[in-house]
Amino acid sequence: MKKTLTAMLTLGLAAGPALAEGTVNVLTWEGYADPSFITKFEEESGCKVSATYVGSNDDFAPKLLGGGGIYDLITPSIDTTALMIDLGLVEPLDTAAITGWNDIYPKFLSQEGIQRDGAYYGMPYVWGAIAFMYLDSAFPTPPTSIADLWNPELKGKISLWDDKSSIYVAARKNGDMDIYNLTDEQIEKAKAALVEQKPLVRKYWATAGELVDLYKAGEVVISNTWAGYQSGLLKAEGVKVTEFIPKEGAEGWMDSWMVVKDTPNKECAYKFLNMQLSELGQCGVANVNGYSVANAAAAKACMPAEQYAALHQDDPNYLDSLQVWQALGDRFEAYTNAWNAVKAQ
Amino acid sequence: MAAIIELQRISKHYSKTIIGVDDVSLDVEDGEFVTLLGPSGCGKSTLLRMIGGFEAPTHGMIRLAGQDVTHVPPYRRDVNMVFQDYALFPHMTVGENIAYGLKIQGRSRAQARDMAVDALALVGLPDKIDQKPAQLSGGQRQRVALARAIVRRPKVLLLDEPLSALDARLRDQMRIEMKHLHEKVGITFIMVTHDQEEALTMSDRVVVMEKGRVAQDGRPQDLYDQPASPYVANFIGTTNFVAGSLTGRSPAGTRIASAAGDFTATADLALPQGAEVTLGFRPEKVRLLAEGETAANVVPGRIAEVIYYGLGLRTTVELAGGTQVHVDCLLPDSLARSAVPQPGAPVRLGIEPHNVFVFAGRVAA
Amino acid sequence: MIARAPRNLSALLVLGIPLLWIVVFMLLPYGIIVTYSFWLKSYPTFKPAFQFGNYLTLLTDVQYLQVLGRTLKISILVSILSLGLAYPFAWWLVFRCRSQALRTWAYMAVIAPLWVSYLLRAYIWKTILGTEGILNSFLMSTGLISEPSSLFLYNQFAMVVTLTYIFIPFMVMPIYTALERIPLNLAEASADLGMGPVQTFLKVTLPLSTPGIAAGFTLTFCLSFGDFIAPFLVGGPDGNLIASVIQTQFGAALNWPLGSALSIVMLIIVLAIVSLSDRLEATAHTGAA
């Protein structure tokens, strides 16, 4: 009896895609499922895309742990992908079913965070730097160092991302460059630096939109930023800002698509992955969010030369200068706790 | 005796057309019990509130013990009020309620408490000092309200419909008690009521009000026996009205002709012969004449209805000309049951001239 | 027997449904939170245990006491400010506003923001208090200041102002109701017994409106105490409140046990305030007719 039922259900599932009917539910960042390129995908594949947006990497685990089960695909950043694997929330990818897999920059494919036991769990998608940004009119001499975010003359005009990454920033300012393997002592030093900086801070920004508002309203003149994204939004608003990589370097980030364990919509999910790695998806997201993309071949094919250069698509030095986020594992708590303690003061 | 309250041409105009009190002048003697009587909307409560200081007159002057207090706020007037629904402070005990107005008079806490005890004894509630108003019955609250008002020994005590919230039996009892209280404390009482019986039984003097004006001002018996207008005659007790015209004067009194017959009245009005008048007489001042019996005024009629009410009978008699009047008669035990008048039977009414009121003009009975 | 059965059934339904609701939507979630609060954080998530380490952390790690203290301070300030604004307003509405139309209109004007999205209401204050905001433009146009001040936004002042604005209806409503219930003749009686307006207010009106004040204070306090939107929108670097910390523990820190322990502590504080105000209301009520 039970077997018959399973068989019937399997038949039913198999029949679905044949009729070109299906849905894919994605839990992702804003812009990663933008209608500008998703509509075309929906028409061609017959898969309907239903997107839910997150505001932070911290949203993925609670949403999936809290009895989720309705999402098929997620896009955590490279410091969160390992946690997803550790939590058993995602399943290994069938890389053979993904066209263009081998066109992905080797630097991203070599990231530990997306692999486990010889299998890939994440498909690199977009990347960028946690760059720094300043309001042109406020700086006759452009800032070059993280130390400028500690400049007392800028009191009340500084903003910093409300994230554990502030520990990375403070550590680099202190000269502790191995930011993903800080000792307790180094974390304590970073914490102290952040506490010292606190009176100078106008507001810790939590969302991309919030940072844009802060610049627009004239509240802040210098901050860190998701390279390409907020500066693009501000330029569209007519606010003149410039991104820069300070001499202490910047963190790099990379978002990967991951397939949620036991998704019933596997067929549409893989169609979606293929589209996202294709020229449609790669240039689609680059145009919407201003991020650099992971597929070197697609980028070369669909980007105008100017954009290609601006997004550092063929700039190995730039890429190598970035300290790409890493999973902190059991050190995670030490970092978040330090950051929370700073905020509590 | 000096006037403790002098109202001099007091008016209260709410707007050009809405007039609460209209040119009232009134003196109240020290120690008097004066009642302002009238239906709702006659201005009696407004007048009382103006004496208390809760409202200011638009015209006129109020004097209290010779002082002009027209615009003095209530908390600086030596006058206290018993409110219609008592207005006891629900968050204070009975004792605290009574002592409330004493501290401001400079009494110590102990003194205030002693005075509260005395005041409670005076109103017959010696054991309730530590209870909250919510724990008391309506009658007890009324007594507390009285105690709270008299404990300050005001020059004048104002009572706004003080008995209206009580049931009938309690009301009768409180009437007497309040009258005794007035005699005991010797404070001037000014009461407002719409209940004529209350007014008559309790007061030294009754001021009947009509549409913001004083209709008549006098001792209860004078109001009853010599009402100044049909309005007063009808508001105090019941009065039968018969339309007539003045035909002349004789040594016995004024002669009046009506469709029901001719009347002689002791009252003399300065009216010309032929003037339209209204006769009035009270149902209890009319006799149903027995065979052969006679009176100064004899009016024939026919019994229309007989209502038995224990103490006596109220008969409705239709007079010639169609006017119906009431006649009350006690049932003397000598009167045989067969002598009880039956509807349809012809009767003769006997009325003494001094019991006949004469009012100028005609009123709708 | 036959006649009794349906009656028992309907009684069961009448009592059972709300009871079930309370169990499923109130007791059960609290039970879960209490249980979690004894668990242990263990990468990547947490594991069942029975230990008081989370509570101990809250007591020993100064950051939690700091935030708790700040949250208490902000909530009390919001409640006091709301009371200071709401009481005179409600008093004026009940005792001084002669026009029924004006009273209804003014009451609605204060209550109406409740129907506007919470976020929008908080955003309004961002626009007013910002460096290039309405308040600064106004002050500069009056010549009171020559340069825009950044003192109004992104600090505790802004949080108190915003929370007061958002929660003041919860202060106005119970106070208005309490004042409206006071018979007008009590004030007259007090004046009659020689008390001036100020003494009458202190001895009669104020004590009789205590239940409204207690209810309003409790509501505003508890609502502010659990708020995390205002610190996010208008709070500054020193604006971290307890609810945001709880949110962080359940989110970024993925430390549900610690978050649960914090929630329980918060619940205890709120319950203490509520029972305190209940007691206050009960004392005030014993006298009410």
Side-chain angles (χ1 to χ4, degrees), chain A residues 50-81:
Chain A
S50 161
T52 307
Y53 298 114
V54 291
S56 147
N57 274 309
D58 309 323
D59 289 346
F60 289 107
K63 279 221 161 81
L64 294 171
L65 284 173
I70 56 158
Y71 302 111
D72 305 310
L73 293 166
I74 56 173
T75 52
S77 301
I78 191 64
D79 59 341
T80 310
T81 46

Side-chain angles (χ1 to χ4, degrees), chain B residues 109-284:
Chain B
R109 187 178 285 269
Q111 240 178 334
R113 173 132 185 137
D114 287 347
M115 290 173 77
V117 170
D118 291 347
L120 276 174
L122 199 62
V123 296
L125 283 178
D127 55 341
K128 302 289 186 194
I129 193 159
D130 290 322
Q131 300 208 344
K132 287 276 180 79
Q135 295 167 284
L136 304 179
S137 71
Q140 289 170 333
R141 280 185 224 176
Q142 152 87 103
R143 288 159 200 258
V144 174
L146 268 172
R148 186 176 70 177
I150 58 170
V151 77
R152 285 168 53 91
R153 300 281 154 179
K155 293 199 173 77
V156 177
L157 182 72
L158 308 175
L159 303 115
D160 189 5
E161 303 262 6
L163 304 178
S164 64
L166 304 178
D167 62 51
R169 186 181 291 269
L170 199 56
R171 196 153 51 207
D172 288 346
Q173 188 191 332
M174 284 306 294
R175 271 183 206 164
I176 315 245
E177 284 193 22
M178 277 174 60
K179 196 162 171 55
H180 288 164
L181 187 70
H182 172 245
E183 285 156 11
K184 243 188 281 182
V185 298
I187 296 172
T188 309
F189 277 30
I190 302 178
M191 180 173 82
V192 153
T193 185
H194 63 273
D195 183 331
Q196 48 112 359
E197 206 181 322
E198 209 166 280
L200 295 184
T201 53
M202 295 168 75
S203 347
D204 299 326
R205 188 147 66 98
V206 176
V207 178
V208 182
M209 293 192 64
E210 179 186 15
K211 293 176 185 158
R213 289 171 163 272
V214 175
Q216 194 173 0
D217 171 2
R219 292 187 305 132
Q221 201 182 334
D222 296 342
L223 294 183
Y224 191 82
D225 292 340
Q226 287 150 24
S229 65
Y231 170 82
V232 177
N234 214 21
F235 199 82
I236 295 181
T238 314
T239 300
N240 295 307
F241 294 107
V242 176
S245 47
L246 201 132
T247 52
R249 293 184 173 83
S250 72
T254 316
R255 299 285 306 156
I256 295 136
S258 80
D262 289 346
F263 288 83
T264 304
T266 320
D268 191 8
L269 270 79
L271 288 174
Q273 217 159 14
E276 292 191 336
V277 294
T278 301
L279 293 172
F281 52 90
R282 299 196 179 271
E284 64 274 21

Side-chain angles (χ1 to χ4, degrees), chain A residues 86 198 202-203 219 332 344, chain C residues 43 70 131 150 154 232 237 252:
Chain A
D86 290 338
K198 207 169 167 180
R202 182 70 169 144
K203 177 121 180 84
E219 301 286 356
F332 175 81
Chain C
Y43 182 85
R70 176 184 308 141
T131 303
S150 58
Y154 301 129
F232 171 69

Side-chain angles (χ1 to χ4, degrees), chain B residues 49 52 54 74-77 79-81 83 85 87-92 97 100-102 104 132-134 141 148-149 152, chain C residues 183 185-197 199-205 207-208 283-289:
Chain B
R49 289 175 58 78
F54 304 111
Y75 50 92
R76 297 215 189 95
R77 285 190 196 198
V79 165
N80 282 113
M81 173 112 119
F83 290 84
D85 42 9
L88 298 179
F89 305 119
H91 57 303
M92 299 179 194
N97 261 284
Y100 186 83
L102 291 176
I104 200 95
K132 287 276 180 79
R141 280 185 224 176
R148 186 176 70 177
R152 285 168 53 91
Chain C
N185 63 14
L186 290 188
E188 288 186 348
S190 173
D192 187 62
L193 294 166
M195 297 293 183
Q199 283 152 313
T200 296
F201 173 78
L202 292 177
K203 285 170 181 270
V204 177
T205 315
L208 286 175
T283 14
H285 264 305
T286 46

